[in-house]
Amino acid sequence: MGFITLLSQSMEPYTIYATLIFLFCLLFWLLKRSNADIPTKAPPPPEAEGAWPLIGHLHLLGGSHAAHVTLGNMADKYGPIFTLRLGIHRTLVVSNWEMAKECFTVNDKVFASRPNSLAFEVLGSNFSFFGSSPYGPYWRYMRKIATVEVLSTKRIEMLKQVMDSEVKAAMKKSYDFWVMMKESGPKKAVTEMEKWFANITLNVMFRAVLGKRLTGMGCEDDEEENEKIQKAVRDFFHLFGQFTVSDAVPFLRWLDLDGQEKKMKKTAKELDDFAQVWLEQHKYKTNSGSEEWKNGEHDFMDLLLSAVDDECLHGHDHDTIVKSTCLQLILAGTDTMTRTLTWALSLLLNNREVLNKATHELDTQIGGENVVVESDFEKLEYLQAIVKETLRLYPPGPLSVPHESMEDCIVGGYHVPAHMRLLTNISKLQQDPSLYSDPLEFRPERFLTTHKDIDLKGKHFEFIPFGAGRRICPGISFALQLMQMTLAALLHGFEIVTIDGGPVDMVEKTGLTNVKASPLQVILTPRQSIQVYNQN
């Protein structure tokens, strides 16, 4: 008031009014400028998309299209960063490499946690799966053990012989099947390739984690149990990728309106029963103290039984940790590799010129009567490009496993509050026309020319099929090793055609992983001499 009084004594009335107006405008401009630096929330889709009461935008993800396709179409309308309300939870969706980089570099620790969800709790043994557990000491402890004991470079080197023997066993079995069908009459030797790939990956993972094979043991009882395990694995991934009513509206969980919790508990019980048997077998072997066990090679469950410190359980039961960690490694490793190999072969069958180039490279670099070995991979540049291009078009998880912000942060100039969920649309990101010319076409050559130096281990955000940041998949090297070995041996060993000579149906179906909707049935005809298939 003293300032106003001074003005009134020294100025004419109109001068006073003009000065006050100037000061008011100056104050308004300063406030506006300061507020401009405060980011707003990421905008939700316009009301035309229709958020429903209670469930929000959840109904948009329940149509015939896979969730990543629906969210990709929305990104075309609303941009590479927007929010949805999935039930009571606000969810940030990012769909380009710049936004992904910001989330997993500057804000990596902020988004390092996982949200509470029905699948993480029920299928993940009450958050004992370290891949779906919240960020903290338990996650760090278990990830370190898994990385060092089964996914390290040293361990992968030890497992190369296991990979090689399982691929050779599958090749011989297919050769014998072809001979049998040829001798028995005019029937075609039809092979369902997803199952063929699954048998290899399951056996490798079981031998690495449990020290024994799963499939192909011959006994009828064993085969029946194997089918049950494989079905439980398929059910796990189907249920794990579902958006549930209980997650959207937690206070309605007790009603289990969509029946998902009942299904999850059934599958979790089946898997836990299998794991309990494996655990008891390992404990018996350990406690027997036999010289064979002391001097033999120890599998991951053996190592885990002794490595898990009772003081580092962080509220989890010792046996539950051992079982759930082993199950997670088997489940994650098997499904992702099986899906990627199935898509790779499907793409090759629909692009015969690429398939011919791959077989020509194998014949030139390896030789017609030799078996592919691990040391040959560095010479098979085109094959490596095929695997990369497959992972670009069909990443194992087209949508990232959900993250959750642990504190407020800024993404793309927008304010993201704590406890907001994050989905990265990896599929959309990797098909960005500004990054890849003709992004929907299968062109392995791009990884030998324009994208030759792009790494897939989380350093280049235009290509993150295994995720990025603290939560990146720890099994990348393991997966690439087995996928390259399997695909190389298959293409080198057999001529491959579809059963009707036509193209492969590339329709996807919903789930956590990128699943081909129809089975891939082919005819495998040997293209090498019998000696190649009989090598051990």
Side-chain angles (χ1 to χ4, degrees):
M1 289 299 293
F3 178 69
I4 300 297
T5 303
L6 181 62
L7 282 175
S8 65
Q9 292 174 349
S10 60
M11 296 183 179
E12 296 294 331
Y14 71 88
T15 307
I16 295 172
Y17 295 142
T19 304
L20 290 174
I21 291 171
F22 170 76
L23 291 172
F24 177 79
C25 291
L26 178 63
L27 179 62
F28 178 78
W29 178 78
L30 289 171
L31 288 172
K32 185 176 180 180
R33 184 180 180 184
S34 63
N35 286 335
D37 295 331
I38 301 175
T40 58
K41 293 182 180 180
E47 287 305 311
E49 292 293 344
W52 289 5
L54 292 180
I55 67 170
H57 298 96
L58 190 63
H59 64 286
L60 299 176
L61 305 181
S64 57
H65 295 298
H68 68 275
V69 175
T70 300
L71 294 175
N73 293 335
M74 294 175 72
D76 290 335
K77 295 180 182 179
Y78 313 126
I81 178 170
F82 59 89
T83 57
L84 293 175
R85 184 165 60 83
L86 301 181
I88 65 172
H89 305 293
R90 295 298 260 176
T91 301
L92 183 71
V93 183
V94 299
S95 306
N96 73 358
W97 75 271
E98 293 97 339
M99 296 298 102
K101 183 177 182 179
E102 204 168 328
C103 289
F104 300 120
T105 54
V106 177
N107 297 306
D108 185 26
K109 187 173 181 180
V110 175
F111 286 113
S113 197
R114 299 288 192 210
N116 290 333
S117 78
L118 186 67
F120 292 174
E121 178 185 336
V122 178
L123 292 171
S125 301
N126 197 27
F127 307 101
S128 294
F129 280 28
F130 68 86
S132 55
S133 64
Y135 181 76
Y138 174 75
W139 171 77
R140 288 192 294 269
Y141 177 67
M142 294 310 303
R143 181 184 171 93
K144 180 180 179 181
I145 289 178
T147 301
V148 171
E149 298 295 354
V150 76
L151 300 172
S152 65
T153 302
K154 179 181 177 181
R155 190 68 176 173
I156 293 171
E157 189 68 32
M158 294 170 61
L159 290 171
K160 284 179 181 177
Q161 185 178 352
V162 171
M163 298 180 190
D164 183 60
S165 66
E166 290 301 333
V167 171
K168 286 180 179 177
M171 297 286 287
K172 184 178 188 310
K173 190 173 182 180
S174 291
Y175 177 83
D176 292 343
F177 178 61
W178 175 81
V179 171
M180 181 185 72
M181 295 303 292
K182 185 179 180 181
E183 293 175 348
S184 64
K187 288 186 178 181
K188 297 179 179 179
V190 178
T191 300
E192 205 286 280
M193 290 307 299
E194 185 173 308
K195 185 174 181 180
W196 195 89
F197 291 131
N199 285 343
I200 293 174
T201 56
L202 271 169
N203 278 329
V204 170
M205 293 308 300
F206 264 68
R207 288 178 66 179
V209 176
L210 301 173
K212 68 173 186 177
R213 303 182 80 234
L214 171 66
T215 62
M217 289 180 277
C219 172
E220 185 175 331
D221 291 339
D222 285 339
E223 292 302 320
E224 183 178 348
E225 180 178 345
N226 296 340
E227 287 296 326
K228 288 180 180 179
I229 293 174
Q230 292 189 57
K231 181 181 183 304
V233 170
R234 292 192 296 271
D235 290 344
F236 174 93
F237 276 96
H238 173 72
L239 293 167
F240 207 86
Q242 297 297 304
F243 291 95
T244 69
V245 174
S246 296
D247 284 333
V249 193
F251 60 81
L252 294 180
R253 175 175 172 175
W254 64 280
L255 293 172
D256 193 20
L257 293 173
D258 52 7
Q260 294 297 305
E261 182 165 4
K262 181 179 179 181
K263 295 176 183 177
M264 288 181 185
K265 286 182 176 179
K266 179 176 180 293
T267 297
K269 176 68 165 55
E270 291 172 348
L271 290 170
D272 186 71
D273 287 345
F274 289 124
Q276 184 62 39
V277 172
W278 305 331
L279 179 64
E280 290 173 358
Q281 290 172 344
H282 278 71
K283 282 186 172 181
Y284 175 79
K285 182 176 63 174
T286 302
N287 294 332
S288 67
S290 65
E291 289 300 317
E292 181 182 358
W293 182 84
K294 290 179 180 178
N295 299 323
E297 289 188 6
H298 295 166
D299 56 58
F300 179 65
M301 185 173 271
D302 288 328
L303 297 169
L304 201 58
L305 278 168
S306 59
V308 173
D309 189 339
D310 288 345
E311 295 181 1
C312 298
L313 301 183
H314 303 286
H316 297 277
D317 173 74
H318 181 279
D319 285 0
T320 299
I321 289 177
V322 173
K323 290 188 293 183
S324 61
T325 304
C326 290
L327 275 173
Q328 180 184 344
L329 291 171
I330 291 170
L331 291 166
T334 298
D335 193 77
T336 53
M337 288 187 284
T338 297
R339 305 301 180 198
T340 300
L341 287 166
T342 302
W343 285 119
L345 183 57
S346 300
L347 287 164
L348 288 169
L349 291 170
N350 284 350
N351 296 270
R352 299 296 305 193
E353 71 284 356
V354 177
L355 177 56
N356 292 336
K357 286 182 181 179
T359 54
H360 176 72
E361 179 184 62
L362 285 160
D363 290 342
T364 302
Q365 298 295 336
I366 310 303
E369 296 303 317
N370 295 323
V371 177
V372 180
V373 294
E374 185 273 335
S375 60
D376 294 323
F377 290 162
E378 63 182 25
K379 298 183 291 185
L380 302 176
E381 293 183 349
Y382 196 63
L383 183 92
Q384 293 179 45
I386 287 170
V387 173
K388 284 186 175 181
E389 181 71 341
T390 302
L391 288 166
R392 183 187 71 82
L393 288 170
Y394 295 93
L399 287 178
S400 66
V401 178
H403 294 244
E404 184 175 79
S405 58
M406 294 187 287
E407 58 187 54
D408 290 10
C409 66
I410 307 299
V411 179
Y414 295 109
H415 172 248
V416 177
H419 308 300
M420 177 172 271
R421 299 183 175 192
L422 168 67
L423 289 175
T424 305
N425 194 338
I426 295 173
S427 180
K428 180 69 173 176
L429 181 159
Q430 295 183 167
Q431 295 176 22
D432 186 340
S434 69
L435 299 174
Y436 300 96
S437 60
D438 301 313
L440 299 182
E441 292 189 16
F442 180 57
R443 290 186 179 178
E445 290 80 6
R446 73 176 86 239
F447 286 103
L448 299 175
T449 54
T450 55
H451 294 73
K452 182 178 181 179
D453 297 324
I454 288 185
D455 180 78
L456 50 64
K457 297 184 179 180
K459 295 179 181 178
H460 298 94
F461 288 84
E462 57 266 56
F463 187 43
I464 51 171
F466 295 97
R470 281 172 168 79
R471 289 283 187 166
I472 192 171
C473 172
I476 298 175
S477 297
F478 185 97
L480 288 175
Q481 182 84 28
L482 182 54
M483 288 192 296
Q484 290 172 2
M485 183 177 291
T486 303
L487 189 61
L490 175 68
L491 300 183
H492 195 38
F494 295 97
E495 295 285 351
I496 311 168
V497 296
T498 56
I499 55 176
D500 60 359
V504 175
D505 182 356
M506 302 296 281
V507 175
E508 306 166 55
K509 65 181 180 181
T510 58
L512 178 66
T513 50
N514 227 333
V515 181
K516 189 175 178 300
S518 58
L520 177 59
Q521 295 182 315
V522 304
I523 298 170
L524 301 178
T525 304
R527 60 190 299 269
Q528 295 177 283
S529 66
I530 185 173
Q531 289 80 11
V532 174
Y533 304 96
N534 286 330
Q535 291 187 40
N536 295 319

